[in-house]
Amino acid sequence: MRLRNRIRDNNLTACSGRLVPRVADSVTRGIELNSCCHHSDRLGGLMASSRRWAVLIGVDQCGRDVQLPPLRYAESDALALRDVLLDQDIGTFDDGAVQMFVGPDATWREIKLFLRDLALRSAPSDVLFVYFAGHTLVPQWSDQLDAYLVTADLDPGMLAREPDNGLRMSFLKRDIFDAFAGASFLVLDCCHAGLYADADRRNVKVLQSYAEAVDRPRHNALLACPSGSVTRESAEHGHGTLTHHVLRALRGGAGDEAGRVSFAQMATFVAEQGMDPPPVHTAHVYGATTVLTQPPMSRHDRQALSSPANPGISRPCLNPLEDQTSSIRQLLDRIFRADVRSPHQSQQSERDGRVELIRQALDAESAAVVEFTGSSFGVVNRTARFDKDSLSPMLETAAVDRVKHPRATPGFVVSHGVGRRMLCVPLSFASDRTLTLAVVDPAIAQLDMGEPLAVMLRAVWESDPVADPLQSEMTVLTALRTSFGRLPLKLYDDAFGLYQQLVGSMIMVFQPVVELDQRATGVSVQSFEALARRNDRELRAPWSALRMAHDWGDRFVVERDAILLAKAIHSYAEADAASGWQGTKPLSVNVAVRSLLSDAYLNQVSKALTEAGLHPRTLTLEISEQDPITPEPGERWPQEPLVYFHNRLTTLARELRISFAVDDFGVGYASLARMAELPLTQIKVDRAILHHPMALEELALVARVARYASDQGQTGQPRTVIVEGFDDDAPVSLYEIFRLGIHHVQGYFSGAVASTTLHELDPAVQERIASLVRGET
């Protein structure tokens, strides 16, 4: 595979020996600088008591330069090496002596500070092992052969002005290994790609010159330095090529007759594996005597003991988006992370808006929103360098393709001439008109993502990445989820953490449920319902954010409900304490069917009530009629769904001493059987029924069902019926509702908007409602 993109603005040569993205967890372990690790038994008696440190760095995403394609295995390579060094059978490093800088945590400033501190504290008997997997950049503006190890925060555009704002090979040599008093070892699984005429000659010499410059007998190195743009990651082995052989060596492939593997043995083993060009390695006396792995017994005996009990390994089936994970994460960072965006992105004009944000995120020449009508087109919004005239051939081709395949694909790429490409993403359709995002010459590393890129850009356009980046990013991930089904585990975990932040940013407001009466003194607040809002200025629920959970499954639904329940109970307890009235009115909170099947959610209910000091009888959980009461595919319930769920609620009501209500009756999965057979204390009727031609008949039926159990003598009190969403525009009057025996209504008609505080009704409002109930106005 050849690296096809060119870095236009940075005047740097890029390393891209690894061209495929990778899902990897970011793991950081602490290190005790003053702890002593005794390994004289593992060093063959050649070293006295010493301190051993390992600093392992792995970076898939390529700093802030979108032109560098994300890697696939760099981060997981660092983690795999950690596991070998810490292996309880063969490793020679202690848990507290291995420091990880992986993924977003691999920042040049923190790495340099940590390494420098180790160098200054070192003693002659100490050992330092440094490993890096990732890209490197070779600056063209320097006469010296030097390279930067690309960390997660490296900004190539700043290096010409601030050359020390990165992790340089010269820094490692001069300030770390030359200063380290003990034995030091370096393994670099990185490389260069030839992007300029003299790149091969210049780049191959960079790591070679480093090896030649380090002549300290206490320092040893193994350096991968392929020339050109040869891929040095192996999908077959799931590692970088050099690291794959390093791991083989340390796991015993390079062991001596006793199974011990020294640095020199490891380096020699790797050099003999036929890599082209071969890695550079230097191994002085300490490289030959410093053992990195050593089994407690011979390899033969260890294999004899372990082989029969080896359980093998399992791994999930390959996800189609697995290879795109790092590219997706990198693009999300460039759009939604303020510290990764270009400085001028926060100063976008109204004219540019999201179009300019997308252009910069893709490092494209220009971008525009184009309206195609038939075979003609017009530019609606564009960035500064979008030239309609010069781009007309590609726009005309796009217009023809749009007519042939208007909705067959989320996006397509138009090519014209030598190296010119335009990514087209349809945004909306109306009759024969299509609004399309056109991005001119985006970075090849991003363009290679294909359909996921188009899906992401459309979701960015449909959300608000500047004003509400949290929800916008979650919208993008949800679009990927709904478009491609299952996402790679790393993206799924990222989405879960992001959704926790999104729901956690919400606040709870409380809307009163009004008890009707023909007398003003009898009109009062009967209870409150907790409602989620993004902020205290919003009048409507953030439905799109709340419903995202159902696109992701039970884990998201349960987490959403648990977070909102805890917020509702704690906020309500504080508001009730500040209200000044005597007694605590009931509180209702929405819950999904799937959450009530989760013990984790129910534990949160008990915990929140206890922490807030609220009695369980205060709480009613409202079960939405928009949720089906059915098992998930492949899930088996011991009884019929309604019977099983009825028994579940009965048990919960008895054990938790809380009440249940049905919410939104009249929409979704509403049924008389569901309303009649579940152990409910309330039935909340959706406002949609009020606007139905047979609204009064339907309300009368609900009232009869609510009274059925008490009429049969099964309960002492009928279920409370509450009409939701009532307002002055409702075609059914309060007089008619009251005559049906329904005495509770919820809505803005009371003049009391949902608020973070609790208030009784104003006397004038009480009188107005009473007059409406009497049918006087």
Side-chain angles (χ1 to χ4, degrees), residues 316-587:
C317 295
L318 182 66
N319 189 293
L321 290 185
E322 192 78 31
D323 289 348
Q324 308 297 337
T325 299
S326 290
S327 294
I328 291 171
R329 293 172 64 194
Q330 184 184 61
L331 182 58
L332 291 173
D333 282 347
R334 291 178 65 86
I335 294 174
F336 297 109
R337 304 289 181 271
D339 59 334
V340 177
R341 295 181 191 173
S342 299
H344 53 284
Q345 277 186 336
S346 60
Q347 303 173 357
Q348 300 166 25
S349 68
E350 291 293 330
R351 179 178 66 85
D352 293 332
R354 284 167 291 180
V355 183
E356 175 63 16
L357 178 64
I358 290 171
R359 185 204 68 76
Q360 293 184 30
L362 297 183
D363 199 20
E365 176 192 275
S366 60
V369 175
V370 181
E371 184 179 65
F372 292 101
T373 306
S375 59
S376 63
F377 55 85
V379 177
V380 177
N381 192 357
R382 65 182 181 84
T383 60
R385 297 177 61 187
F386 190 89
D387 186 346
K388 176 183 174 182
D389 295 334
S390 65
L391 296 171
S392 287
M394 285 197 287
L395 291 171
E396 290 170 359
T397 303
V400 173
D401 192 82
R402 183 200 68 86
V403 173
K404 290 192 301 183
H405 310 289
R407 305 190 187 188
T409 175
F412 53 92
V413 179
V414 178
S415 301
H416 183 76
V418 179
R420 299 224 71 186
R421 296 176 179 85
M422 183 167 67
L423 170 65
C424 297
V425 179
L427 302 174
S428 63
F429 307 91
S431 185
D432 66 336
R433 297 186 177 186
T434 304
L435 205 63
T436 299
L437 173 68
V439 185
V440 180
D441 288 340
I444 296 299
Q446 297 294 310
L447 194 59
D448 284 346
M449 290 169 59
E451 280 196 11
L453 175 62
V455 170
M456 293 175 71
L457 294 182
R458 183 170 179 177
V460 169
W461 181 262
E462 293 174 346
S463 57
D464 196 341
V466 177
D468 195 351
L470 190 60
Q471 181 161 335
S472 181
E473 184 173 4
M474 193 64 211
T475 299
V476 173
L477 286 169
T478 303
L480 289 172
R481 169 80 173 192
T482 55
S483 296
F484 298 97
R486 185 173 66 90
L487 294 190
L489 181 60
K490 180 57 182 174
L491 289 178
Y492 175 86
D493 288 340
D494 288 348
F496 185 71
L498 194 68
Y499 194 63
Q500 287 177 310
Q501 295 179 47
L502 178 60
V503 178
S505 68
M506 297 178 185
I507 65 169
M508 304 304 294
V509 297
F510 306 100
Q511 186 176 55
V513 174
V514 176
E515 184 169 0
L516 304 179
D517 199 283
Q518 294 179 335
R519 301 170 298 111
T521 55
V523 177
S524 62
V525 174
Q526 182 256 358
S527 62
F528 288 91
E529 179 182 0
L531 303 172
R533 298 287 187 267
R534 289 300 305 280
N535 56 67
D536 56 7
R537 300 180 302 278
E538 287 189 349
L539 297 179
R540 296 185 177 275
W543 292 117
S544 60
L546 295 173
R547 289 169 179 162
M548 283 177 186
H550 295 279
D551 293 320
W552 291 89
D554 283 3
R555 185 185 181 203
F556 282 67
V557 170
V558 172
E559 185 71 7
R560 176 201 66 188
D561 287 355
I563 292 173
L564 294 180
L565 174 95
K567 280 180 172 286
I569 290 177
H570 286 92
S571 299
Y572 188 71
E574 294 176 3
D576 179 64
S579 65
W581 59 50
Q582 189 173 6
T584 298
K585 297 183 184 296
L587 170 70

Side-chain angles (χ1 to χ4, degrees), residues 171-200:
F171 167 82
L172 292 176
K173 175 188 179 299
R174 181 187 65 249
D175 297 320
I176 303 303
F177 299 125
D178 284 352
F180 193 81
S184 58
F185 304 89
L186 174 66
V187 175
L188 295 185
D189 192 354
C190 55
C191 54
H192 304 281
L195 299 182
Y196 299 93
D198 64 344
D200 287 338

Side-chain angles (χ1 to χ4, degrees), residues 512 514-525 728 734 747-753 759-774 777:
V514 176
E515 184 169 0
L516 304 179
D517 199 283
Q518 294 179 335
R519 301 170 298 111
T521 55
V523 177
S524 62
V525 174
D728 293 335
L734 287 184
Y748 292 117
F749 77 101
S750 65
V753 298
H759 301 282
E760 288 283 15
L761 296 178
D762 185 90
V765 173
Q766 291 176 293
E767 181 56 48
R768 176 176 176 270
I769 293 175
S771 66
L772 292 173
V773 172
R774 295 192 297 265
T777 57

